[in-house]
Amino acid sequence: GLQSHDRLIVPGIRGPARGCAAPDGAHMAIAIPGFPAPIDGLDIVAGLRRLEGDTELYIALLRDFISTEQDAATVIAAALAQGDRKAATRRAHTVKGLAGTFGAVRLEPVALTLELALRSAEPQQAPDAELQAFAAELDALMSALAVKLPPEDAPETQPAGPVDPHFLTSTC
């Protein structure tokens, strides 16, 4: 399994990266066998490692994320407008966890920042800046996923079976 001391070394990036993300938090665009295309803001290698190389499951989780979380910023804003800070916090926490699971290296930290702001701020204070940053990263990822993930009924150009574990271990 993934250990806290594991590091990813990617050719072209100097030095070890923490948690399979590039040192500056940027996306690493590397080709993954069976995966349709690199997606900006998504560390596909890290996500696949967490799912033991199961590309089909990874793509299915990303599709599910699109259908369940594309309106998360709107739902959080609505919950705050209704004074339901707990619901807003839960939704931010959910998105943060999902983003971490599949390697959304830009969305996860802004979701965490939003969650912490919701937990710590006074009830009358809305974390507007944090919510705006969250909404922007969520929208950017959703747009990238909509363009780069193949439609569910599209024929596969490559088999979408598990990624060779030796590929992931040699990369991570």
Side-chain angles (χ1 to χ4, degrees), residues 121-138:
E122 293 299 318
Q124 64 271 20
Q125 289 180 313
D128 295 331
E130 293 87 349
L131 184 55
Q132 284 180 344
F134 173 82
E137 287 300 333
L138 182 66

Side-chain angles (χ1 to χ4, degrees), residues 49-69:
R49 286 187 72 209
R50 288 181 188 98
L51 299 175
E52 298 181 1
D54 190 335
T55 306
E56 288 182 22
L57 177 60
Y58 186 64
I59 292 171
L61 287 175
L62 290 172
R63 285 189 182 124
D64 187 55
F65 179 76
I66 292 169
S67 68
T68 62
E69 303 304 329

Side-chain angles (χ1 to χ4, degrees), residues 68-132:
T68 62
E69 303 304 329
Q70 65 186 355
D71 63 347
T74 304
V75 171
I76 290 169
L80 288 172
Q82 296 171 357
D84 192 351
R85 201 170 189 94
K86 281 187 176 183
T89 305
R90 272 194 311 272
R91 192 63 178 264
H93 178 79
T94 297
V95 173
K96 177 199 68 177
L98 291 170
T101 298
F102 57 75
V105 295
R106 293 186 185 134
L107 179 59
E108 183 184 16
V110 295
L112 173 62
T113 300
L114 176 59
E115 179 187 359
L116 293 174
L118 287 165
R119 289 186 191 279
S120 66
E122 293 299 318
Q124 64 271 20
Q125 289 180 313
D128 295 331
E130 293 87 349
L131 184 55
Q132 284 180 344

Side-chain angles (χ1 to χ4, degrees), residues 7-42:
R7 298 288 184 258
L8 173 64
I9 308 296
V10 177
I13 296 178
R14 294 188 177 273
R18 294 183 47 222
C20 285
D24 63 357
H27 167 70
M28 293 172 294
I30 58 176
I32 306 295
F35 200 81
I39 297 176
D40 192 37
L42 198 60

